[in-house]
Amino acid sequence: FLDYYAEFMDPDLSPIKSSYAFIPFNIAINIQKLGALFFMFSMMVYYDNFSTGCWVYLALHGSYGVIWVTKDMIFPDKSFQRKIGFVEFIVLAVILLAYYTFGYLIVTGQANNNPSNERIFCCIFMYCLGAVMMFGTDIQKYVRLQLKKGLIDDLFLANNRNTNYFGEMLLYTAFATLSNEYIGYIVLLVVWATLFTSRIHLKERSLKKKDGYAKYASNSYLLLFKFFNSDLLNVIFYVGSIVFGVWVFNNGGIEATVRLVKTLLK
């Protein structure tokens, strides 16, 4: 089922793909990525909303678009260097334009225009980590494939077979967290369940055909980092991190938790 689903979502393999492909795939994506900067600023002008939340979101999502287009110009992804038809373009547009939801919620006042300093810190932190993982992995892949074809199983991809997707999910989570509205999180889940699931599965299917995959798979995870050789230790680490995060959240955040610990230590 997953094979069929992944192929259905892929512009080249889908049974409903257009018979005539004429739209450059990378250009269609670049318009959406870079367009976020102009869309958000235009909305800020239209709604006369120049709040802290709007400026922070504009900086994050806007810079992401600029970096993405710059990367495409210097280190183009081969999978995007093809053409798609009108049907694929419409599907792609609907999925990608859904990402504008986060900024729209903030600028229209449906989300908090002035998030706390702590929330801003967390969003910037997630965005920076995600951007480094995503673009670093893509650049590593581009340079390596220029020199030698085959399995890439080191550096950014040493213990996570999809560090680029993990990074992209992290930075978009930062956008959703800044708006902090349930509809934004729903958008993320829908995109991840459709576009990301398809592309990750097709990539994994391709990796399995390469020499050295079995050893690589034993040293890495599909989407998470395998920090320890023992699967049990990794489960403990991730579950412990989630429990700790929930505990901090329930205490009212980082600052409140720090004050609580200081009080307990007195």
Side-chain angles (χ1 to χ4, degrees), residues 4-40:
Y4 177 79
Y5 176 72
E7 291 177 0
F8 182 83
M9 293 299 300
D10 186 84
D12 283 342
L13 304 175
S14 177
I16 63 170
K17 69 178 181 179
S18 303
S19 57
Y20 178 61
F22 63 98
I23 305 173
F25 195 12
N26 66 316
I27 298 300
I29 295 176
N30 289 349
I31 290 174
Q32 182 275 335
K33 299 287 188 179
L34 188 59
L37 175 66
F38 301 98
F39 170 80
M40 185 62 185

CSV table of all heavy atoms in Angstrom, one decimal, residues 4-40:
chain,number,residue,atom,x,y,z
A,4,TYR,N,2.2,2.1,-3.4
A,4,TYR,CA,1.2,2.7,-4.3
A,4,TYR,C,0.9,4.1,-3.9
A,4,TYR,O,0.8,5.0,-4.8
A,4,TYR,CB,-0.1,1.9,-4.2
A,4,TYR,CG,-1.2,2.4,-5.1
A,4,TYR,CD1,-1.2,2.3,-6.5
A,4,TYR,CD2,-2.2,3.2,-4.5
A,4,TYR,CE1,-2.2,2.8,-7.2
A,4,TYR,CE2,-3.2,3.8,-5.2
A,4,TYR,CZ,-3.2,3.6,-6.6
A,4,TYR,OH,-4.2,4.1,-7.4
A,5,TYR,N,0.8,4.4,-2.6
A,5,TYR,CA,0.5,5.7,-2.1
A,5,TYR,C,1.7,6.7,-2.5
A,5,TYR,O,1.4,7.8,-2.9
A,5,TYR,CB,0.4,5.6,-0.6
A,5,TYR,CG,0.2,7.0,0.1
A,5,TYR,CD1,-1.0,7.7,-0.1
A,5,TYR,CD2,1.2,7.6,0.8
A,5,TYR,CE1,-1.3,8.9,0.5
A,5,TYR,CE2,1.0,8.8,1.4
A,5,TYR,CZ,-0.3,9.5,1.3
A,5,TYR,OH,-0.5,10.7,1.9
A,6,ALA,N,2.9,6.2,-2.3
A,6,ALA,CA,4.1,7.1,-2.6
A,6,ALA,C,4.1,7.4,-4.1
A,6,ALA,O,4.4,8.5,-4.5
A,6,ALA,CB,5.4,6.4,-2.1
A,7,GLU,N,3.9,6.4,-4.9
A,7,GLU,CA,3.9,6.6,-6.3
A,7,GLU,C,2.7,7.5,-6.8
A,7,GLU,O,2.9,8.4,-7.7
A,7,GLU,CB,3.8,5.3,-7.1
A,7,GLU,CG,5.0,4.4,-6.9
A,7,GLU,CD,4.9,3.1,-7.5
A,7,GLU,OE1,3.8,2.8,-8.1
A,7,GLU,OE2,5.9,2.3,-7.5
A,8,PHE,N,1.6,7.4,-6.1
A,8,PHE,CA,0.4,8.2,-6.4
A,8,PHE,C,0.7,9.7,-6.2
A,8,PHE,O,0.3,10.6,-6.9
A,8,PHE,CB,-0.8,7.8,-5.6
A,8,PHE,CG,-2.0,8.6,-5.9
A,8,PHE,CD1,-2.8,8.2,-7.0
A,8,PHE,CD2,-2.4,9.7,-5.1
A,8,PHE,CE1,-4.0,9.0,-7.3
A,8,PHE,CE2,-3.5,10.4,-5.4
A,8,PHE,CZ,-4.3,10.0,-6.5
A,9,MET,N,1.5,10.0,-5.1
A,9,MET,CA,1.9,11.4,-4.7
A,9,MET,C,3.0,11.9,-5.5
A,9,MET,O,3.3,13.1,-5.5
A,9,MET,CB,2.2,11.4,-3.2
A,9,MET,CG,1.0,11.1,-2.3
A,9,MET,SD,-0.4,12.3,-2.5
A,9,MET,CE,0.5,13.9,-2.1
A,10,ASP,N,3.8,11.1,-6.2
A,10,ASP,CA,5.0,11.6,-6.9
A,10,ASP,C,4.6,12.1,-8.3
A,10,ASP,O,3.8,11.4,-9.0
A,10,ASP,CB,6.0,10.4,-7.1
A,10,ASP,CG,7.3,10.9,-7.7
A,10,ASP,OD1,8.1,11.4,-6.9
A,10,ASP,OD2,7.4,10.8,-8.9
A,11,PRO,N,5.1,13.3,-8.7
A,11,PRO,CA,4.7,13.9,-10.0
A,11,PRO,C,5.1,13.0,-11.2
A,11,PRO,O,4.4,13.0,-12.2
A,11,PRO,CB,5.5,15.2,-10.0
A,11,PRO,CG,5.7,15.5,-8.6
A,11,PRO,CD,5.9,14.2,-7.9
A,12,ASP,N,6.1,12.2,-11.1
A,12,ASP,CA,6.6,11.4,-12.2
A,12,ASP,C,5.9,10.0,-12.3
A,12,ASP,O,5.7,9.5,-13.4
A,12,ASP,CB,8.1,11.2,-12.1
A,12,ASP,CG,8.9,12.4,-12.6
A,12,ASP,OD1,8.3,13.2,-13.3
A,12,ASP,OD2,10.1,12.5,-12.3
A,13,LEU,N,5.5,9.5,-11.1
A,13,LEU,CA,4.9,8.2,-11.1
A,13,LEU,C,3.4,8.1,-10.9
A,13,LEU,O,2.8,7.0,-11.1
A,13,LEU,CB,5.6,7.4,-9.9
A,13,LEU,CG,7.1,7.3,-9.9
A,13,LEU,CD1,7.6,6.7,-8.6
A,13,LEU,CD2,7.6,6.6,-11.1
A,14,SER,N,2.8,9.2,-10.6
A,14,SER,CA,1.3,9.2,-10.3
A,14,SER,C,0.5,8.8,-11.6
A,14,SER,O,0.8,9.3,-12.7
A,14,SER,CB,0.9,10.6,-9.9
A,14,SER,OG,-0.5,10.6,-9.7
A,15,PRO,N,-0.5,8.0,-11.4
A,15,PRO,CA,-1.3,7.6,-12.5
A,15,PRO,C,-2.2,8.7,-13.1
A,15,PRO,O,-2.8,8.6,-14.2
A,15,PRO,CB,-2.2,6.4,-12.0
A,15,PRO,CG,-2.2,6.7,-10.5
A,15,PRO,CD,-0.9,7.3,-10.2
A,16,ILE,N,-2.3,9.8,-12.3
A,16,ILE,CA,-3.2,10.9,-12.7
A,16,ILE,C,-2.3,12.1,-13.2
A,16,ILE,O,-2.8,13.2,-13.3
A,16,ILE,CB,-4.1,11.4,-11.6
A,16,ILE,CG1,-3.3,11.9,-10.4
A,16,ILE,CG2,-5.0,10.3,-11.1
A,16,ILE,CD1,-4.1,12.6,-9.3
A,17,LYS,N,-1.0,11.8,-13.4
A,17,LYS,CA,-0.2,12.9,-13.9
A,17,LYS,C,-0.6,13.5,-15.2
A,17,LYS,O,-1.2,12.7,-16.1
A,17,LYS,CB,1.3,12.5,-13.9
A,17,LYS,CG,1.6,11.5,-15.0
A,17,LYS,CD,3.1,11.1,-15.0
A,17,LYS,CE,3.4,10.1,-16.0
A,17,LYS,NZ,4.9,9.8,-16.0
A,18,SER,N,-0.3,14.7,-15.5
A,18,SER,CA,-0.6,15.3,-16.8
A,18,SER,C,0.2,14.7,-17.9
A,18,SER,O,1.3,14.2,-17.7
A,18,SER,CB,-0.3,16.8,-16.7
A,18,SER,OG,-0.9,17.5,-15.6
A,19,SER,N,-0.4,14.7,-19.1
A,19,SER,CA,0.2,14.1,-20.2
A,19,SER,C,1.3,15.0,-20.8
A,19,SER,O,2.2,14.6,-21.5
A,19,SER,CB,-0.8,13.8,-21.3
A,19,SER,OG,-1.6,15.0,-21.7
A,20,TYR,N,1.2,16.3,-20.5
A,20,TYR,CA,2.1,17.3,-21.0
A,20,TYR,C,2.7,18.1,-19.9
A,20,TYR,O,2.0,18.8,-19.2
A,20,TYR,CB,1.4,18.2,-22.0
A,20,TYR,CG,2.4,19.3,-22.5
A,20,TYR,CD1,3.5,19.0,-23.3
A,20,TYR,CD2,2.1,20.6,-22.3
A,20,TYR,CE1,4.3,19.9,-23.8
A,20,TYR,CE2,2.9,21.6,-22.8
A,20,TYR,CZ,4.0,21.3,-23.6
A,20,TYR,OH,4.9,22.2,-24.1
A,21,ALA,N,4.0,17.9,-19.7
A,21,ALA,CA,4.7,18.6,-18.6
A,21,ALA,C,5.5,19.8,-19.2
A,21,ALA,O,6.2,19.7,-20.1
A,21,ALA,CB,5.7,17.7,-17.9
A,22,PHE,N,5.2,21.0,-18.6
A,22,PHE,CA,5.8,22.2,-19.2
A,22,PHE,C,6.2,23.2,-18.1
A,22,PHE,O,6.8,24.2,-18.4
A,22,PHE,CB,4.8,22.9,-20.1
A,22,PHE,CG,3.5,23.3,-19.5
A,22,PHE,CD1,3.3,24.6,-19.1
A,22,PHE,CD2,2.5,22.4,-19.2
A,22,PHE,CE1,2.2,25.0,-18.4
A,22,PHE,CE2,1.3,22.8,-18.6
A,22,PHE,CZ,1.2,24.1,-18.2
A,23,ILE,N,5.9,22.9,-16.8
A,23,ILE,CA,6.2,23.9,-15.8
A,23,ILE,C,7.5,23.4,-15.0
A,23,ILE,O,7.4,22.2,-14.5
A,23,ILE,CB,5.1,24.0,-14.8
A,23,ILE,CG1,3.8,24.4,-15.5
A,23,ILE,CG2,5.4,25.0,-13.7
A,23,ILE,CD1,2.5,24.4,-14.6
A,24,PRO,N,8.5,24.1,-15.0
A,24,PRO,CA,9.7,23.7,-14.2
A,24,PRO,C,9.4,23.5,-12.8
A,24,PRO,O,8.9,24.4,-12.1
A,24,PRO,CB,10.7,24.9,-14.4
A,24,PRO,CG,10.2,25.6,-15.7
A,24,PRO,CD,8.8,25.4,-15.6
A,25,PHE,N,9.7,22.3,-12.3
A,25,PHE,CA,9.3,21.9,-10.9
A,25,PHE,C,10.0,22.8,-9.9
A,25,PHE,O,9.4,23.3,-8.9
A,25,PHE,CB,9.8,20.5,-10.7
A,25,PHE,CG,9.2,19.8,-9.5
A,25,PHE,CD1,8.2,20.4,-8.7
A,25,PHE,CD2,9.7,18.6,-9.0
A,25,PHE,CE1,7.6,19.8,-7.6
A,25,PHE,CE2,9.1,18.0,-7.9
A,25,PHE,CZ,8.1,18.6,-7.2
A,26,ASN,N,11.3,23.1,-10.1
A,26,ASN,CA,12.0,23.9,-9.1
A,26,ASN,C,11.5,25.4,-9.1
A,26,ASN,O,11.5,26.0,-8.1
A,26,ASN,CB,13.5,23.9,-9.4
A,26,ASN,CG,13.9,24.5,-10.7
A,26,ASN,OD1,13.2,24.3,-11.8
A,26,ASN,ND2,15.0,25.3,-10.8
A,27,ILE,N,11.1,25.9,-10.3
A,27,ILE,CA,10.6,27.2,-10.3
A,27,ILE,C,9.3,27.4,-9.6
A,27,ILE,O,9.1,28.3,-8.8
A,27,ILE,CB,10.4,27.7,-11.8
A,27,ILE,CG1,11.8,27.7,-12.5
A,27,ILE,CG2,9.8,29.1,-11.8
A,27,ILE,CD1,12.8,28.6,-11.9
A,28,ALA,N,8.4,26.4,-9.7
A,28,ALA,CA,7.2,26.4,-9.0
A,28,ALA,C,7.4,26.4,-7.5
A,28,ALA,O,6.7,27.1,-6.8
A,28,ALA,CB,6.3,25.1,-9.4
A,29,ILE,N,8.4,25.6,-7.0
A,29,ILE,CA,8.7,25.5,-5.6
A,29,ILE,C,9.3,26.8,-5.1
A,29,ILE,O,8.9,27.4,-4.1
A,29,ILE,CB,9.6,24.4,-5.3
A,29,ILE,CG1,8.9,23.0,-5.6
A,29,ILE,CG2,10.1,24.4,-3.8
A,29,ILE,CD1,9.8,21.8,-5.4
A,30,ASN,N,10.2,27.4,-5.9
A,30,ASN,CA,10.9,28.6,-5.6
A,30,ASN,C,10.0,29.8,-5.4
A,30,ASN,O,10.1,30.6,-4.5
A,30,ASN,CB,12.0,28.9,-6.6
A,30,ASN,CG,13.2,28.0,-6.6
A,30,ASN,OD1,13.3,27.2,-5.6
A,30,ASN,ND2,14.0,28.1,-7.6
A,31,ILE,N,8.9,29.8,-6.3
A,31,ILE,CA,8.0,30.9,-6.2
A,31,ILE,C,7.3,30.9,-4.9
A,31,ILE,O,7.1,32.0,-4.2
A,31,ILE,CB,6.9,30.8,-7.4
A,31,ILE,CG1,7.6,31.1,-8.7
A,31,ILE,CG2,5.8,31.8,-7.1
A,31,ILE,CD1,6.7,30.9,-9.9
A,32,GLN,N,6.9,29.7,-4.4
A,32,GLN,CA,6.2,29.6,-3.1
A,32,GLN,C,7.1,29.9,-2.0
A,32,GLN,O,6.8,30.7,-1.0
A,32,GLN,CB,5.6,28.2,-2.9
A,32,GLN,CG,4.8,28.0,-1.7
A,32,GLN,CD,5.7,27.6,-0.5
A,32,GLN,OE1,6.8,27.1,-0.6
A,32,GLN,NE2,5.3,27.9,0.7
A,33,LYS,N,8.4,29.4,-2.0
A,33,LYS,CA,9.3,29.6,-0.9
A,33,LYS,C,9.7,31.1,-0.8
A,33,LYS,O,9.6,31.6,0.3
A,33,LYS,CB,10.6,28.8,-1.2
A,33,LYS,CG,10.4,27.3,-1.3
A,33,LYS,CD,10.2,26.6,0.0
A,33,LYS,CE,10.2,25.1,-0.1
A,33,LYS,NZ,10.0,24.4,1.2
A,34,LEU,N,10.1,31.7,-1.9
A,34,LEU,CA,10.4,33.1,-1.8
A,34,LEU,C,9.2,34.0,-1.6
A,34,LEU,O,9.3,35.1,-1.0
A,34,LEU,CB,11.2,33.5,-3.1
A,34,LEU,CG,11.8,34.9,-3.1
A,34,LEU,CD1,12.8,35.0,-2.0
A,34,LEU,CD2,12.5,35.2,-4.5
A,35,GLY,N,8.1,33.6,-2.1
A,35,GLY,CA,6.8,34.3,-2.0
A,35,GLY,C,6.4,34.6,-0.6
A,35,GLY,O,5.7,35.6,-0.4
A,36,ALA,N,6.8,33.7,0.3
A,36,ALA,CA,6.4,33.9,1.7
A,36,ALA,C,6.9,35.2,2.3
A,36,ALA,O,6.2,35.9,3.1
A,36,ALA,CB,7.0,32.7,2.6
A,37,LEU,N,8.1,35.7,1.8
A,37,LEU,CA,8.6,37.0,2.3
A,37,LEU,C,7.7,38.1,1.9
A,37,LEU,O,7.3,39.0,2.7
A,37,LEU,CB,10.0,37.2,1.7
A,37,LEU,CG,10.7,38.5,2.0
A,37,LEU,CD1,10.9,38.7,3.5
A,37,LEU,CD2,12.0,38.6,1.2
A,38,PHE,N,7.3,38.1,0.6
A,38,PHE,CA,6.5,39.2,0.1
A,38,PHE,C,5.0,39.1,0.5
A,38,PHE,O,4.4,40.1,0.8
A,38,PHE,CB,6.6,39.2,-1.5
A,38,PHE,CG,7.9,39.4,-2.0
A,38,PHE,CD1,8.7,38.3,-2.4
A,38,PHE,CD2,8.5,40.6,-2.1
A,38,PHE,CE1,10.0,38.4,-2.9
A,38,PHE,CE2,9.8,40.8,-2.5
A,38,PHE,CZ,10.6,39.7,-2.9
A,39,PHE,N,4.5,37.9,0.6
A,39,PHE,CA,3.2,37.7,1.1
A,39,PHE,C,3.0,38.2,2.5
A,39,PHE,O,2.1,39.0,2.8
A,39,PHE,CB,2.8,36.2,1.1
A,39,PHE,CG,1.5,35.9,1.8
A,39,PHE,CD1,0.3,36.1,1.1
A,39,PHE,CD2,1.5,35.3,3.0
A,39,PHE,CE1,-0.9,35.8,1.7
A,39,PHE,CE2,0.3,35.0,3.7
A,39,PHE,CZ,-0.9,35.3,3.0
A,40,MET,N,3.9,37.8,3.4
A,40,MET,CA,3.8,38.2,4.8
A,40,MET,C,4.0,39.7,5.0
A,40,MET,O,3.2,40.3,5.7
A,40,MET,CB,4.9,37.5,5.6
A,40,MET,CG,4.8,37.7,7.1
A,40,MET,SD,3.2,37.2,7.8
A,40,MET,CE,3.4,37.7,9.5
